[in-house]
């Protein structure tokens, strides 16, 4: 009689594909760093103003002064620069899967805890706030599932709040090969983690941000 493969075999294959995808993403950014150096183009931004707008919205998740913050997909840790200028008193830490970006970030912010780490493979630790800027658009065919896993992992690592953004399926000019998440579907998923959710689509036509809170805001 035929015997079906044990369930863990399928799981191993799926996780192998996930690992390969993250390796490809890390290599992609390594090449951008080699080409552009410390430049918004190495983070796939067309204009520095776009990066600054997204940093501003993420930073508005809650009063951050005195909080510990983990920046998932930190890149060059440019968000640390933004926080230093606009929200002083934040204890910043960052993780990224690009070796080249982590190396640059450590040089620029030697006082910060910045590591090469995939949060789906290794726990990043616990922080008051966990943020992520632009980490979903290259996830490929399994993007919705991977996005959910990343959000859930960030929420586990956060003591108070999570803030992340994504390209929006409501964009009028989507680019081929990039993942554009449906804001309402993502918000519905976030509500499976916590009832305290905010979705913002008021700052950029192609982007949205979600805030998740552990408890009701006062």
């Amino acid at each position: 009689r035929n015997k079906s493969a044990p369930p863990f075999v399928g799981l191993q294959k799926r996780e192998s594909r996930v690992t390969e995808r993250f390796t490809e993403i890390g290599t992609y950014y390594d090449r951008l760093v080699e080409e552009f150096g410390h430049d918004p183009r190495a983070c796939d931004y067309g204009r520095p103003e776009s990066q600054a707008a997204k940093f501003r919205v993420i930073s508005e998740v809650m009063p951050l002064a005195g909080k510990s913050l983990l920046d998932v997909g930190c890149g060059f840790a440019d968000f640390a620069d933004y926080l230093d200028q606009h929200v002083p008193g934040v204890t910043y830490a960052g993780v990224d899967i690009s070796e080249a970006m982590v190396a640059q970030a450590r040089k620029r912010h030697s006082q910060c805890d910045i590591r090469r780490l995939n949060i789906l493979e290794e726990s990043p630790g616990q922080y008051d706030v966990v943020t992520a800027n632009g980490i979903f658009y290259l996830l490929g065919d399994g993007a919705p599932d991977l996005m959910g896993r990343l959000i859930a992992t960030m929420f586990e690592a956060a003591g108070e709040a999570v803030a992340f953004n994504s390209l929006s399926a409501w964009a009028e000019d989507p680019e081929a090969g990039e993942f554009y998440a449906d804001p309402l579907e993502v918000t519905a998923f976030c509500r499976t983690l916590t009832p305290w959710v905010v979705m913002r689509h008021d700052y950029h036509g192609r982007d949205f941000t979600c805030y998740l809170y552990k408890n009701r805001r006062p």
Side-chain angles (χ1 to χ4, degrees):
R1 61 190 175 90
N2 294 329
K3 294 182 178 180
S4 59
F8 68 83
V9 173
L11 179 61
Q12 286 177 328
K13 290 182 178 179
R14 187 185 73 171
E15 291 306 306
S16 177
R17 289 195 296 271
V18 170
T19 299
E20 289 175 2
R21 187 58 185 159
F22 281 114
T23 299
E24 291 169 355
I25 295 171
T27 301
Y28 172 75
Y29 280 110
D30 288 344
R31 289 198 299 265
L32 289 180
V33 174
E34 183 178 355
E35 181 177 359
F36 296 113
H38 179 214
D39 187 283
R41 290 174 295 177
C43 300
D44 253 3
Y45 281 104
R47 298 182 303 120
E49 293 81 6
S50 178
Q51 184 185 53
K54 294 175 183 181
F55 284 164
R56 174 182 58 80
V57 174
I58 285 178
S59 73
E60 291 172 351
V61 59
M62 65 182 298
L64 294 177
K67 303 296 184 181
S68 61
L69 182 146
L70 176 67
D71 186 13
V72 176
C74 65
F76 299 118
D78 291 326
F79 190 36
D81 296 323
Y82 180 91
L83 293 172
D84 285 343
Q85 295 174 11
H86 298 89
V87 192
V90 179
T91 302
Y92 176 94
V95 295
D96 202 284
I97 58 175
S98 165
E99 183 176 359
M101 285 196 160
V102 168
Q104 289 269 0
R106 283 175 171 170
K107 289 179 182 179
R108 300 183 61 251
H109 296 279
S110 59
Q111 78 283 7
C112 295
D113 176 18
I114 298 174
R115 294 167 285 162
R116 187 184 183 194
L117 184 146
N118 182 340
I119 65 169
L120 295 185
E121 298 177 351
E122 181 181 349
S123 172
Q126 291 292 309
Y127 300 83
D128 296 323
V129 181
V130 179
T131 64
N133 176 42
I135 70 169
F136 304 117
Y137 75 106
L138 293 178
L139 292 179
D141 294 338
D145 175 65
L146 278 177
M147 183 179 189
R149 291 173 61 187
L150 287 164
I151 294 169
T153 302
M154 289 190 290
F155 193 68
E156 289 177 3
E160 298 184 41
V162 168
F164 65 84
N165 58 31
S166 171
L167 292 177
S168 172
W170 297 349
E172 295 181 355
D173 56 345
E175 296 185 19
E178 297 183 346
F179 170 60
Y180 289 72
D182 185 297
L184 297 184
E185 290 180 0
V186 173
T187 302
F189 171 78
C190 291
R191 292 186 68 246
T192 69
L193 303 175
T194 175
W196 317 116
V197 178
V198 174
M199 190 275 283
R200 292 185 57 175
H201 210 299
D202 62 341
Y203 60 94
H204 196 292
R206 305 172 75 243
D207 200 87
F208 69 98
T209 292
C210 287
Y211 304 148
L212 286 70
Y213 301 96
K214 293 283 182 163
N215 299 291
R216 182 173 62 183
R217 299 179 70 186

